[in-house]
Amino acid sequence: MKQISSTDITTWDLPEGAIGRLGRGGVHNNGMAFSPDGAVLVVASEIGCWWYDLAAMAPRALWDTERGMVSAISFSHDARWIAAGNLDGIVKIWDSQTLQCLTKINVPGNSAEKDIGHLIFSSNGQYLAAAGRHRSAVYAWRIDPDTPIAHFTTDQTQEPASGAAAFPISFSPDSSLLAYKSDYNATSVLHVETGENIAKFSDKYTEPLGYYELAFSPCGQYLAACDKRNTIHIWNIHNGILETAPLVYGSSIQVIPIYTSDGTLRVAGLYQNEVVIWDTVEKEKVDAFECWGQYRTASCFSNDGTRFAVPNRRGELHVWIEGPPSTVVSLPGHLPNTNSVVFSKDGSTLVSSTKGRTGNFFWNIAQRRAKQIFPFLADHDLPRSSALSPCEKLLATSGRRRTSKVGTIKIWDLVSGTQVAELIEHQKQVYTLAFSPTGEHLISVCGKSIIVWDALCWEKRHSLIGHIDTIAAVVAFHPNGKHLVTASPDGLALLWNVKSGEQLFSFPTANLLDLTVYKGTPQDIQEVIEKQEPAHRGIKAIAFSSCGTLIAGGMQGEIRVWDAMTSETRMAILPPQSCQKQYALAFSPCSRYLASGAWWQEGQKRVSIRLWEIATGGNIHTFWGHPTDVQDLTFSPDGALLASGGLDGTILLWDMEPFTGS
C-alpha cells in the first residue's frame, strides 16, 4: 500500500494555502468497510478515503481528496480492489496496494439522484453493484465500466425516509444473484447474467422504509432483511416463503444483520446508549458495549461477523473485536459538521460546535488536537446551538427539536462542568445564541423572538421586536457590547441598543444602488441592475468590524458593507457567478480585510474562501478548501490565522501573513 511519509495527519493532502486540518471529515451512510481479513477499516469521509490499520489503531493513508464527498466504500472479496463512490455519482476503483485509480464509472441519473449510497463487489470480483437514490446498476467493471449490464429504478413517487441515501444491495455468495429494493415495500432478487427477476418479497408495511439492510446466507438459499421497524425477516429465495417468524428488536434504533461463515445469523442492535451483538439462533447476547450514538448505516460488520464498526456522537468510530476477551477500540475525529468556530483570547485554543450532534470541541492549536469536549450529555440534551462567554468560563447551550425541553437554554460552568442556570422563556427551538463582548448580556433567537438576557443574574431584560421572520437570524455585537445588529431571511438588518432594547435604525438591502457603490466586473454590475430583484433579500451572515465602524452582511450574490453609525451603504461586493452564496463572514482584527466563505454550488469540486480589501473592495486572494459549505470563519486575535469551519466536519487553518502582513 502507498504510504504517506508524514506522521502528522493534520497536514495530509491539504488544499493549497492551508497549514493544518482539525477533524477527519464526516462519514456518510455505508461509509465504512472492513478488509476481508478484518485487519483494515477503510472510511469514506467528506474529505476523502481513510485507511486505518486496526492492529496499530492508526491511519495509514488518505486518498481520493480531489473532490471528496465520498459516500460509500467497499473492498473486493480478495482485497485487491477498493470501490469508492461520491455524491456526484462517480465511482472509482482503486488498487488496494498502490491506491492508484484503475477506472471510473459515472452512474446514470439526474443530479438529484446520482449520489452513491451503496457499493458492493460480487465474490468473484467480476461485478460491481452501485445504488443511488431511486437508481441502481450492476457493472462488469473490468470489461466495460461505462455500460451497466443491469439497470433498475425504484418508485419515483416517494422519497426515502430521512437519512436514507439509497436502497441496499447484496450479491449471493456465488455472484449469480443480486438482491435489491425494487420499491418501497418490496425486495427483489435479480439473476445478474439474464436480468430476470427470480423472486420478489413484499413487505407488510405501507410507510416508506428508511434504514434497511440485506444479507445472503453462505449457502445462498436465504436472504435476511431488516426494516425501519427494527425487524429481521428471513426469506427462502427458492420458494419465496418467510422462513421464520420476524425477529423484532423493537427498542433499538437500528439493526444490522450479517451471516457468519458457519451460517449463523448475527445481528447488531444499536440502542440509544449501547450496541448489542445478538445471536439470532440462540436468541442471546454475544456481547454489548457502550456507545452514545446518532446511528446511521455507516455501521458495518466484517465479512465473518467478528468485528463491528459504528460511529458515535463524539465523532469517534468504535470498533468491536470479538474475543475472548472482546475489545472495543476508538478512532477519533470524524465529526458530522462544524457549525461555528471561535478563537480564545490568547489564540491558543479554538472552540468549535457541531449542529445537533455533540458538544463543543476545544482544540489545542499548537498540537492540532481536541483537548476537551463539553458538554457530553444524555441524548435528549445534546445542544442544537451554543455560545462561549468572553471570559471563556461559561457555555450557553440550547436543546434540539423534538425534545421535552426544547427552547430551554442551559448555562454551564466549564471549570466545574456543572449547570449554573436554566433559561426557559422560549417555547420552541433556539437557533442562535451569542454573548456580548463584555459578557454582560446573552442573546437568544427563537422563531420571531429575540431575547436579551442579563448574564450577571440570568434574568430576561427585554425582547427585540422588529423582524418578520427570525427563525434563522444571525447576530453580531459591536466590540463595545452596547449595540447589536440582527439580520434574517426577511431581508432586514436592524441595529439595536442592547441595554434599552431600542431599535436604532435599519440597514438598506434594496438591490438598486448608486453604480459607484458596486464592486465587481462591469458585466456583474450590469447584470445586477437588469435583474431588478425584490427590495429585500435574505441575509445569511452578519459581522461587525473590529473597530466597530462597519457591518457586513452576506446575501445571495452580494456582500453588503454598511456604515455602522449612519446605516449608509459603503459598498456592495459582487462575487463571481460561481460563488454567489457568501454566507460566512469575518473581519480581520485590524478591520482592513474581510474574509467570506461560500456555500457549495452544483459543478464545483471546492468552494471558495475569499479575502477582500475593505479600502478598495478588491479580492486580494482566494483559497479553495472545503468540498462543501463553509459554515463559519474566524481570525486569530493576532490576525495571523484564519480558521474555516465546514459542513464537511473539518476546520482548516489558513496562513494570513502573506496577504495581510499580520
Side-chain angles (χ1 to χ4, degrees):
M1 183 194 68
K2 180 178 73 174
Q3 297 287 331
I4 296 179
S5 57
S6 172
T7 58
D8 182 6
I9 65 171
T10 68
T11 63
W12 287 3
D13 276 9
L14 287 174
E16 184 178 355
I19 61 174
R21 181 193 294 113
L22 309 177
R24 303 180 188 179
V27 182
H28 278 267
N29 298 337
N30 293 283
M32 297 192 291
F34 287 95
S35 60
D37 63 2
V40 170
L41 180 70
V42 288
V43 176
S45 81
E46 297 200 356
I47 65 169
C49 300
W50 292 88
W51 177 294
Y52 287 103
D53 181 334
L54 294 180
M57 287 308 298
R60 297 301 186 204
L62 170 64
W63 79 102
D64 200 10
T65 59
E66 181 183 6
R67 169 68 179 106
M69 303 306 292
V70 188
S71 53
I73 197 164
S74 180
F75 262 102
S76 64
H77 286 245
D78 59 5
R80 291 175 59 191
W81 307 299
I82 300 172
N86 66 19
L87 296 184
D88 298 331
I90 304 298
V91 176
K92 297 179 183 178
I93 313 296
W94 304 86
D95 184 300
S96 65
Q97 295 300 308
T98 64
L99 296 184
Q100 297 297 310
C101 184
L102 302 177
T103 191
K104 293 182 182 180
I105 300 172
N106 194 334
V107 175
N110 61 44
S111 59
E113 300 171 347
K114 293 184 69 173
D115 53 317
I116 305 301
H118 294 250
L119 284 172
I120 187 170
F121 282 98
S122 60
S123 60
N124 60 13
Q126 183 176 348
Y127 304 116
L128 177 71
R133 190 180 297 272
H134 297 303
R135 295 172 181 262
S136 302
V138 180
Y139 297 86
W141 68 274
R142 286 187 291 174
I143 300 172
D144 182 4
D146 298 322
T147 307
I149 62 171
H151 183 213
F152 37 90
T153 61
T154 53
D155 183 0
Q156 301 284 326
T157 63
Q158 300 184 70
E159 285 296 319
S162 176
F167 291 118
I169 44 182
S170 181
F171 276 109
S172 62
D174 65 0
S175 304
S176 65
L177 304 176
L178 179 79
Y180 68 99
K181 287 291 291 181
S182 51
D183 59 52
Y184 283 84
N185 300 305
T187 299
S188 294
V189 179
L190 175 85
H191 191 283
V192 176
E193 290 189 358
T194 66
E196 177 188 1
N197 273 317
I198 66 167
K200 186 173 184 178
F201 310 116
S202 296
D203 300 319
K204 297 178 181 180
Y205 304 115
T206 57
E207 66 174 331
L209 299 178
Y211 296 125
Y212 205 96
E213 294 293 325
L214 299 171
F216 271 99
S217 64
C219 65
Q221 183 175 353
Y222 305 107
L223 179 69
C226 71
D227 63 27
K228 185 182 177 183
R229 299 189 180 194
N230 307 316
T231 302
I232 300 289
H233 306 261
I234 303 174
W235 301 95
N236 187 312
I237 297 294
H238 301 300
N239 58 26
I241 296 175
L242 191 64
E243 190 68 20
T244 62
L247 307 171
V248 182
Y249 299 83
S251 63
S252 61
I253 300 171
Q254 185 181 340
V255 291
I256 298 176
I258 188 76
Y259 277 98
T260 61
S261 56
D262 64 0
T264 300
L265 180 63
R266 180 168 283 186
V267 170
L270 280 57
Y271 299 84
Q272 183 168 307
N273 303 318
E274 183 183 42
V275 174
V276 178
I277 310 298
W278 297 93
D279 183 322
T280 63
V281 176
E282 300 296 332
K283 298 183 180 179
E284 62 182 15
K285 291 183 180 180
V286 175
D287 205 352
F289 61 92
E290 183 180 273
C291 182
W292 296 72
Q294 171 68 25
Y295 302 112
R296 298 167 295 170
T297 47
S299 308
C300 68
F301 272 107
S302 60
N303 288 355
D304 61 2
T306 63
R307 302 189 176 206
F308 184 74
V310 57
N312 75 358
R313 285 193 181 276
R314 287 177 178 260
E316 299 166 323
L317 307 179
H318 286 323
V319 180
W320 170 80
I321 303 172
E322 188 173 21
S326 296
T327 58
V328 178
V329 293
S330 296
L331 301 165
H334 286 284
L335 307 177
N337 58 60
T338 301
N339 189 40
S340 67
V341 286
V342 60
F343 275 101
S344 61
K345 289 182 179 179
D346 63 4
S348 65
T349 301
L350 183 76
V351 184
S352 67
S353 69
T354 59
K355 187 181 296 183
R357 296 287 187 180
T358 185
N360 291 63
F361 282 71
F362 291 71
W363 301 90
N364 184 309
I365 293 299
Q367 299 178 359
R368 309 274 173 82
R369 64 177 181 85
K371 62 180 182 180
Q372 183 185 11
I373 306 173
F374 186 91
F376 183 60
L377 311 169
D379 181 75
H380 64 278
D381 279 334
L382 286 169
R384 168 58 173 77
S385 57
S386 61
L388 181 69
S389 68
C391 67
E392 301 172 5
K393 295 180 180 179
L394 298 175
L395 186 74
T397 66
S398 65
R400 299 179 300 142
R401 192 167 43 201
R402 301 187 303 274
T403 61
S404 59
K405 289 190 175 183
V406 64
T408 299
I409 300 168
K410 296 184 178 183
I411 312 299
W412 304 89
D413 184 298
L414 289 173
V415 177
S416 65
T418 59
Q419 181 181 316
V420 298
E422 187 171 84
L423 314 178
I424 57 174
E425 180 75 15
H426 293 297
Q427 300 302 312
K428 296 180 180 180
Q429 181 167 304
V430 175
Y431 281 84
T432 304
L433 290 169
F435 277 98
S436 65
T438 60
E440 296 178 72
H441 299 98
L442 174 71
I443 302 297
S444 60
V445 178
C446 169
K448 296 181 180 180
S449 173
I450 301 177
I451 294 179
V452 179
W453 303 90
D454 188 318
L456 301 180
C457 60
W458 299 115
E459 294 180 354
K460 177 183 175 181
R461 284 298 174 227
H462 35 252
S463 295
L464 305 181
I465 307 299
H467 284 285
I468 301 169
D469 176 13
T470 61
I471 193 169
V474 289
V475 302
F477 276 97
H478 188 285
N480 64 18
K482 296 180 180 180
H483 297 121
L484 172 78
V485 63
T486 62
S488 76
D490 60 17
L492 295 177
L494 305 175
L495 189 71
W496 308 85
N497 181 301
V498 177
K499 188 173 183 180
S500 67
E502 177 188 3
Q503 183 187 136
L504 301 178
F505 48 74
S506 63
F507 298 93
T509 57
N511 190 45
L512 295 181
L513 301 169
D514 187 283
L515 292 182
T516 61
V517 175
Y518 289 106
K519 306 296 179 182
T521 66
Q523 294 84 355
D524 289 337
I525 295 173
Q526 184 62 34
E527 186 172 340
V528 168
I529 294 172
E530 292 175 354
K531 274 186 178 179
Q532 297 289 321
E533 291 192 5
H536 295 291
R537 285 174 290 167
I539 302 171
K540 297 292 185 69
I542 200 80
F544 246 111
S545 64
S546 303
C547 63
T549 62
L550 299 173
I551 296 172
M555 301 179 285
Q556 171 76 28
E558 186 180 317
I559 301 171
R560 189 70 57 96
V561 180
W562 299 283
D563 187 303
M565 302 301 293
T566 67
S567 79
E568 176 189 0
T569 301
R570 289 281 192 90
M571 69 177 68
I573 300 172
L574 304 178
Q577 290 297 314
S578 60
C579 303
Q580 292 286 287
K581 300 177 180 180
Q582 301 289 318
Y583 294 160
L585 297 173
F587 278 97
S588 64
C590 66
S591 299
R592 293 167 53 197
Y593 306 98
L594 176 69
S596 68
W599 282 12
W600 181 81
Q601 292 177 215
E602 189 170 348
Q604 291 182 325
K605 288 185 177 180
R606 299 279 165 177
V607 298
S608 66
I609 298 171
R610 296 177 183 272
L611 192 62
W612 308 91
E613 185 177 48
I614 293 299
T616 64
N619 181 194
I620 62 175
H621 193 74
T622 300
F623 301 100
W624 297 92
H626 299 276
T628 187
D629 304 356
V630 177
Q631 297 287 84
D632 197 19
L633 294 167
T634 185
F635 280 91
S636 61
D638 61 2
L641 289 177
L642 176 69
S644 60
L647 194 63
D648 60 6
T650 71
I651 300 164
L652 291 174
L653 302 176
W654 307 90
D655 183 4
M656 290 289 104
E657 292 192 18
F659 314 105
T660 65
S662 301

